[in-house]
Amino acid sequence: MKVATILGDKGREVVTTNPDATLLDVVETLREHRIGCIVVTDGKGGIAGIVSERDVVRAIAASGAEILNSPASGCMTRKVVTCRVEDTIDTIMAKMTEGRFRHMPVVEEGKLAGLISIGDVVKLRLEQAEQEASAMRDYIATG
Ligand code: AMP
């Protein structure tokens, strides 16, 4: 199974923001879209960073609620690990586990082409397991 399988199901739309947006804007966007992270773009279709709800919690714990009026660029992760449409799900699961993050932007020809979350991966794995169990039950019943 490949990243393309997940994108074919969920689509390629990614919620993004710009580096100057405040953390308050970021939090509001996360709430509005019911998501846990947002990709910060550089204005040319490239990725400048990523801000997850975890970054916001850490920033508030370290600096207090006033930090919400600061730009997202101050607390975003700049070194973003990305994947490609043709990567396997096993590869991205390994990268997420190793890097201890739950989101991976998909990049195609230097441009943002989707976002995979750990929830998408778990959903796909559960569907696969159910299909395999069902095929096994059919095999036993007709054997
Ligand atoms: P998450 O588990 O995705 O909510 O994020 C946990 C931490 O990893 C936060 O500091 C994020 O900014 C960072 N992070 C999330 N996704 C990535 C990624 N694909 N590459 C690098 N860092 C990431």
Side-chain angles (χ1 to χ4, degrees), residues 29-89:
T29 308
L30 296 179
R31 185 200 64 81
E32 185 188 336
H33 293 271
R34 295 166 163 256
I35 53 175
C37 102
I38 190 163
V39 175
V40 183
T41 51
D42 61 9
K44 293 176 242 148
I47 298 173
I50 194 163
V51 180
S52 112
E53 52 202 358
R54 228 170 248 193
D55 298 313
V56 180
V57 169
R58 282 185 198 135
I60 293 171
S63 310
E66 316 84 72
I67 195 84
L68 290 170
N69 297 313
S70 306
S73 57
C75 87
M76 69 187 183
T77 301
R78 291 171 188 269
K79 205 172 167 204
V80 182
V81 180
T82 61
C83 62
R84 296 165 305 166
V85 175
E86 63 270 24
D87 285 341
T88 65
I89 304 301

